[in-house]
Amino acid sequence: MLIHPWDAPRDDTWQRWLATHDFGQLAVNGPPGEPPFVQPLHFAYDAGRDEAVTHLARPNPLWPAIEAAPAVLLSVVDDYAFVPGPWQAEPGTPPEHGVPTSLYAAVQLRCHAHVVDDPAEKAALLNRQVGHFQPEGGSARAAAGEAPYGRLLSGIRGLRLEVTEVRAKFKYAGKRSQEVRDRIADGLADRRQARDAAARGHVLRVGPTGG
């Protein structure tokens, strides 16, 4: 992923963003000559431990690939929007000469994958993940050998994704003039497509020199 200086976050923006964007794609190297395996999944990122936790069904074909090559990539992309060319035309330039572009936020976590098979450790991992998604509670805690989830633990394998490198990009017209940025923000406000409000928030936040 190419990251220009004006698209790179200057602070912990990516961590705060990732805390509320917890569905991504796990990419794992495939066998020689084959494309990567890509698995959509929910995960819980723990900034304090610098790791993400998740789990997959035991029959998932990713397991042999992960065990053969535990260097994996967790990719999250959201808050994206298409920007029509006229919105990007600089002052004094005909609107039809503006260049269309995409706005988006993306975080890529390069990780070392640790497979978790011990029943007690899997239960603890599941409780961490459920605690992230259901902080209000409402579900029984998993415990090895105990109802209601103990007997189900054998059907899954846990994953601890130890983060070794982070690449983050917030592409929101950071190199454009204020007039263009205002026009983009106004256009997103008027259009109101699914992710336009989130993208507009980034456009308003990201200064002309970057995120």
Side-chain angles (χ1 to χ4, degrees), residues 6-7 9 13-14 17 104-105 107 168-172 202 205:
W6 50 85
D7 295 330
T13 297
W14 69 269
W17 184 83
Y104 60 88
V107 174
K169 180 174 183 176
F170 289 80
K171 183 175 181 288
Y172 292 102
H202 289 293
R205 176 188 57 79

Side-chain angles (χ1 to χ4, degrees), residues 90 176-183 203-204 206-208:
E90 289 291 346
R176 298 297 178 182
S177 67
Q178 188 63 51
E179 182 173 334
V180 169
R181 293 169 51 73
D182 289 344
R183 188 188 305 128
V203 171
L204 295 175
V206 178

Side-chain angles (χ1 to χ4, degrees), residues 113-124:
H114 301 271
V115 180
V116 179
D117 278 327
D118 177 80
E121 293 181 7
K122 278 194 289 188

